[in-house]
Amino acid sequence: MDGTVSPLYGEDLSISEFLQRSAPWKNNVLGALCFSAVADDGAGANSDVNHKETTQAGVEIPCMRVFMQRLDEANSFCEIWYGGARSQYGKCGDVHYRHDGNLLFGVIEQAETGLAKSSGKTPLQQACESAYQQIFNLLDALQYPYVFRFWNYMADINGHSFGMERYQQFNLGRQDAFMACERSVVGNIPAACALGLAKGPLTVAFLAGRVAPLAIENPRQVSAFKYPSQYGPRSPTFARACLARMSQNDKPYEVLFISGTASIVGHLTCHPDDVIAQTHETITNIEAILVETNRVAYQPQFCLADLHFKIYVRHAADLASIKSVLMERIGNSLRAVYLQADVCRYDLLVEIEAAVSYSLPSLSALSGAQG
Ligand code: 3EB
């Protein structure tokens, strides 16, 4: 479909391409998510600290860097998020951020090393709670009340320590931070993903704004915030998707963030040993999310063919199988980047997230916004 626009959503560049491109478009970059398993990858020279890059023109950009192997084409992948013409960089606690008055993109890492288990909290749980509290403190201070999307990356997500799976420790810290900052842990909550890295500290990126988005659930799945306790003492805190309406340079548009989606129906993993069936089930889940989105969108035009996909693959050897299912279900318009990552349940072999934005006809369309 031709109605898609990318005033917000980024493009497929390697990190070195991203950094070598010169101004002025870079002034509109709010931030980037960079995935690479190559040391430095052209970024080292400009990277004065982790998760921040400075362009030749001196523009400071929060730039998440996680150690993750890209499986298709290039070695690295940068997903770039754009803002308005005037934006500014800041650092608050450990959070690097950039904001333009409508949107704020930020990134924080929190190491577990040096943290002992204290007051009954594991190091990962503490790192997560601290990351989220710092994010919420920043958003309160700068008055960006609504998070649309969180990206969570941590080492050894399926590992166990202190008698608990690490992903469950993460969920404890996340939910505690939401509650401590008086944020809802059910209902209208952000979209998210949570993936395992081969190495590196807990790293969280996020995009927030000033207009309330609409959380979307998938009727085929139990909402993650209602998962039963067999998956851990605290439920994950995310919605299946988040639909945000915003205006950038006086152009209104609607953007959909689809959370990491996997082969889960109800709350159970389906097809544990079958990557092809898992991929089909995941696309069927994403289709169900699109149906729900089109019930509440201004322009009910959200469709698979327009989505920009990020595909997290547990076993690199499954890449060809996954790709062939996606080609079959989506066709030639498929836009996808493939990364090797651990998925948060040991029996999930693939997780797929997506985003898309469509322009809206006029600002007056926004005045009728619900929510
Ligand atoms: C699932 O549906 C798969 O904990 O933030 C997907 C998206 C998953 C986000 C998160 C976890 C998260 O439960 C896992």
Side-chain angles (χ1 to χ4, degrees):
M1 203 176 203
D2 293 319
T4 60
V5 288
S6 300
L8 180 73
Y9 187 71
E11 53 195 300
D12 183 354
L13 293 174
S14 72
I15 297 170
S16 45
E17 283 169 327
F18 169 54
L19 288 170
Q20 276 158 24
R21 268 219 217 169
S22 51
W25 67 275
K26 274 207 181 127
N27 297 331
N28 287 29
V29 173
L30 274 186
L33 301 147
C34 299
F35 303 85
S36 176
V38 179
D40 264 4
D41 195 23
N46 295 313
S47 177
D48 36 5
V49 273
N50 274 352
H51 311 299
K52 177 190 158 194
E53 302 291 342
T54 306
T55 68
Q56 285 144 341
V59 180
E60 297 164 292
I61 300 174
C63 194
M64 184 198 79
R65 308 259 298 158
V66 294
F67 185 85
M68 202 178 266
Q69 178 71 54
R70 180 170 179 175
L71 295 174
D72 57 315
E73 299 169 29
N75 274 326
S76 61
F77 168 61
C78 281
E79 174 179 314
I80 298 161
W81 290 90
Y82 296 92
R86 277 183 301 280
S87 61
Q88 64 188 65
Y89 167 85
K91 175 116 192 267
C92 177
D94 299 317
V95 187
H96 298 278
Y97 64 92
R98 196 168 176 93
H99 68 121
D100 69 355
N102 292 311
L103 283 174
L104 184 149
F105 177 89
V107 55
I108 181 170
E109 77 169 51
Q110 290 287 284
E112 295 165 53
T113 48
L115 294 177
K117 186 169 180 179
S118 74
S119 56
K121 294 178 178 175
T122 73
L124 177 58
Q125 180 183 353
Q126 292 173 61
C128 176
E129 195 173 337
S130 164
Y132 273 82
Q133 285 199 353
Q134 290 190 52
I135 291 168
F136 291 142
N137 290 343
L138 166 71
L139 296 178
D140 288 347
L142 295 188
Q143 295 178 292
Y144 287 87
Y146 305 106
V147 181
F148 304 147
R149 176 68 156 101
F150 282 111
W151 291 263
N152 301 292
Y153 302 99
M154 70 205 79
D156 195 20
I157 194 169
N158 301 128
H160 289 253
S161 61
F162 305 100
M164 203 188 290
E165 190 189 1
R166 279 170 56 79
Y167 174 59
Q168 297 182 3
Q169 298 174 26
F170 165 84
N171 277 320
L172 265 170
R174 174 167 59 179
Q175 202 188 83
D176 278 344
F178 268 74
M179 292 190 300
C181 298
E182 292 174 2
R183 290 185 176 246
S184 176
V185 295
V186 297
N188 207 15
I189 54 179
C193 61
L195 283 306
L197 301 166
K199 63 177 184 183
L202 172 70
T203 305
V204 181
F206 59 100
L207 197 60
R210 290 180 163 157
V211 178
L214 213 52
I216 290 160
E217 293 300 315
N218 176 355
R220 302 183 82 236
Q221 297 185 306
V222 172
S223 293
F225 53 81
K226 291 183 185 161
Y227 279 167
S229 58
Q230 73 200 71
Y231 301 101
R234 299 292 185 80
S235 300
T237 308
F238 70 94
R240 297 299 179 188
C242 175
L243 180 64
R245 287 137 191 174
M246 53 190 89
S247 177
Q248 209 79 288
N249 302 323
D250 286 339
K251 286 203 183 108
Y253 56 95
E254 220 166 12
V255 53
L256 180 67
F257 303 89
I258 298 181
S259 292
T261 306
S263 178
I264 296 173
V265 177
H267 58 76
L268 297 173
T269 299
C270 294
H271 327 293
D273 301 314
D274 183 342
V275 72
I276 289 177
Q278 284 203 10
T279 309
H280 274 294
E281 201 69 60
T282 302
I283 294 299
T284 301
N285 277 330
I286 290 175
E287 283 174 333
I289 292 168
L290 292 174
V291 168
E292 290 303 293
T293 303
N294 283 330
R295 282 150 46 96
V296 293
Y298 276 111
Q299 300 183 115
Q301 62 188 330
F302 289 83
C303 60
L304 273 185
D306 288 345
L307 299 179
H308 298 255
F309 292 98
K310 214 149 59 263
I311 323 273
Y312 299 101
V313 177
R314 184 185 288 278
H315 303 299
D318 289 338
L319 177 65
S321 305
I322 294 168
K323 261 189 178 169
S324 70
V325 174
L326 292 169
M327 279 304 291
E328 180 187 332
R329 294 289 292 270
I330 293 153
N332 282 326
S333 65
L334 176 65
R335 275 167 301 219
V337 172
Y338 300 82
L339 296 159
Q340 194 283 314
D342 293 335
V343 186
C344 65
R345 290 186 190 178
Y346 70 94
D347 51 7
L348 290 174
L349 302 172
V350 60
E351 181 174 310
I352 301 180
E353 62 182 48
V356 65
S357 63
Y358 296 96
S359 58
L360 292 173
S362 70
L363 273 177
S364 57
L366 276 180
S367 63
Q370 42 171 219

